[in-house]
Amino acid sequence: MVPIQNLYYLLCYAWNRLPEPGEWAYVAEQEFHRPLELLTQLLLTGTRRLLHKGLTLGYAEREEELTELRGRILLTPTITRDLLRQGRAVCAYDELGPNTPLNRLLAGTLEALGRTRRLPAALRQQARQLRGRFPADLQPAPLTRAELRAVRRLRLTGPEGFLLNVCTLIYRTALPDTDAEGRSRFHDFRRDETLMAGIFERFVRNFYRLEQRRYRVSSETISWQAEADRAEDLALLPSMITDTSLESAERKIILDTKYYTAAFKPHHDRQRLISPHLYQLFAYLQNQAAQTATPLEGVLLYPAATHETDLRYHLGGFPVRVATLDLNQPWPGIAADLLALVA
């Protein structure tokens, strides 16, 4: 389990958004007992900044009974209400205003947070107060899977994309799961290995993008060095996409992150490295070697859950390192360990 304070740093880097120094210090001083408290604080901070800058406006369709035609006439409600004899019609028209999908989602999320008993009273009050700063004519949208999916289709980036990610995790955290006996328990997304694997991967890649200048950092597709009797058979080979590739003029590192509780698993009463992870990294190195003259090396990186590991090998002529990153230490130690890993 990643400590909640360090989860803040993971999320910021994973979502490619570094806060201002004052925000780092403020969050470091807080004591969060649940991930939902941290997520609420991130939402409050980001939304305040958005309101200070000014909400993005957009066109939204509005339906209204009018005496003058505007937009298009909705015949069914107009005829059903017998409005034509009254010199009126139901019209649908686009109006520029604050009722964008994201603004409505933010308002709805703040309303939900202002009511939940899983937050301290002070955070609930802040959520209600911030909701009151939205325009009075803005219609809040419920925090549902459908609303999140609709906003995600807009492919938002920057601060707005960050806030959408926060709302998504709030949704996944705040919804109760019901067990076989009908009791409700709230989901801690840190226990979702698939979700956390994606966050850990993006955190590591974006950390190197932002915190060092020696390497070009990317996630790249490696082509198979393969032949087949029929060209269409080659399309059936699985894709080889690196988590993180770091390349300079002198060396290239293929770094694969694995969000597992340990870098080993028992085999005949002995601990062994997880073979598919090592095979995958070795396949990346073998097939990449034919495409670059830069010396190649590989790194398997795990979060340190049970014990720390730092193993070094030469496999097929490639330097390979299997290491762990202690996410339970203070943030400066995490940053220093990541930089030392590629020094």
Side-chain angles (χ1 to χ4, degrees):
M1 293 285 281
V2 181
I4 294 177
Q5 291 295 106
N6 286 343
L7 184 64
Y8 166 72
Y9 299 102
L10 262 69
L11 293 177
C12 285
Y13 278 101
W15 295 337
N16 207 26
R17 178 260 189 191
L18 294 185
E20 299 174 359
E23 185 179 330
W24 290 100
Y26 175 79
V27 172
E29 294 171 357
Q30 304 305 305
E31 185 176 357
F32 300 108
H33 299 93
R34 298 187 180 98
L36 183 60
E37 297 173 19
L38 170 64
L39 294 174
T40 300
Q41 185 62 58
L42 292 177
L43 184 71
L44 292 172
T45 302
T47 305
R48 288 191 188 106
R49 191 172 290 127
L50 198 66
L51 286 167
H52 179 75
K53 184 181 68 174
L55 292 178
T56 301
L57 302 181
Y59 284 97
E61 188 174 77
R62 181 175 178 181
E63 295 182 9
E64 190 178 8
E65 283 190 21
L66 300 173
T67 56
E68 298 180 355
L69 295 182
R70 184 177 180 183
R72 56 191 176 86
I73 299 176
L74 301 181
L75 290 177
T76 300
T78 298
I79 294 172
T80 302
R81 302 177 200 173
D82 196 23
L83 296 177
L84 293 177
R85 290 196 296 178
Q86 305 171 40
R88 304 174 64 82
V90 177
C91 298
Y93 57 92
D94 290 333
E95 184 176 58
L96 183 65
N99 276 290
T100 66
L102 177 64
N103 293 341
R104 296 179 64 237
L105 178 65
L106 292 176
T109 303
L110 289 169
E111 286 189 359
L113 293 173
R115 295 190 301 266
T116 180
R117 294 294 178 183
R118 300 195 68 239
L119 286 175
L123 278 178
R124 294 201 305 268
Q125 183 179 7
Q126 290 182 56
R128 291 192 293 267
Q129 289 175 344
L130 191 59
R131 168 64 182 95
R133 290 176 54 185
F134 280 75
D137 60 340
L138 188 143
Q139 302 170 355
L143 182 59
T144 63
R145 188 187 302 272
E147 289 292 338
L148 288 167
R149 189 182 300 116
V151 180
R152 195 162 293 282
R153 282 197 291 265
L154 301 177
R155 299 185 181 278
L156 300 174
T157 59
E160 293 181 333
F162 180 85
L163 288 173
L164 174 57
N165 285 328
V166 173
C167 288
T168 301
L169 276 192
I170 288 174
Y171 170 79
R172 298 185 70 156
T173 299
L175 284 183
D177 296 328
T178 304
D179 61 20
E181 298 178 5
R183 295 172 301 189
S184 293
R185 61 179 178 83
F186 286 84
H187 179 66
D188 186 336
F189 68 85
R190 291 176 298 170
R191 299 185 184 277
D192 186 330
E193 287 193 355
T194 301
L195 173 65
M196 288 301 298
I199 290 174
F200 186 55
E201 174 191 329
R202 293 191 297 274
F203 154 68
V204 171
R205 183 168 58 246
N206 286 335
F207 176 87
Y208 286 126
R209 279 176 175 162
L210 295 166
E211 300 296 347
Q212 58 80 43
R213 293 292 177 267
R214 179 180 177 183
Y215 302 98
R216 295 184 300 276
V217 181
S218 65
S219 172
E220 62 178 334
T221 299
I222 298 175
S223 300
W224 285 92
Q225 300 305 301
E227 298 177 355
D229 292 338
R230 297 183 304 173
E232 57 267 27
D233 293 349
L234 293 174
L236 300 177
L237 290 171
S239 298
M240 289 192 293
I241 304 174
T242 65
D243 292 346
T244 303
S245 295
L246 301 103
E247 186 171 9
S248 69
E250 300 81 23
R251 65 195 289 212
K252 181 170 184 177
I253 304 170
I254 295 179
L255 190 153
D256 219 30
T257 55
K258 300 297 181 185
Y259 195 81
Y260 279 63
T261 56
F264 305 94
K265 69 176 183 178
H267 181 74
H268 298 312
D269 298 325
R270 296 184 62 183
Q271 295 292 318
R272 301 280 189 178
L273 290 170
I274 301 174
S275 55
H277 299 172
L278 207 55
Y279 297 159
Q280 180 185 27
L281 180 61
F282 188 53
Y284 288 175
L285 294 169
Q286 280 189 311
N287 286 275
Q288 177 74 105
Q291 303 172 43
T292 180
T294 306
L296 280 173
E297 54 193 278
V299 175
L300 276 177
L301 183 63
Y302 297 83
T306 53
H307 59 270
E308 295 185 9
T309 300
D310 191 357
L311 306 172
R312 298 168 189 262
Y313 302 96
H314 272 78
L315 302 179
F318 303 109
V320 171
R321 187 174 178 182
V322 180
T324 53
L325 176 66
D326 182 5
L327 297 177
N328 201 31
Q329 62 179 315
W331 168 250
I334 296 175
D337 287 350
L338 280 172
L339 292 174
L341 188 66
V342 298

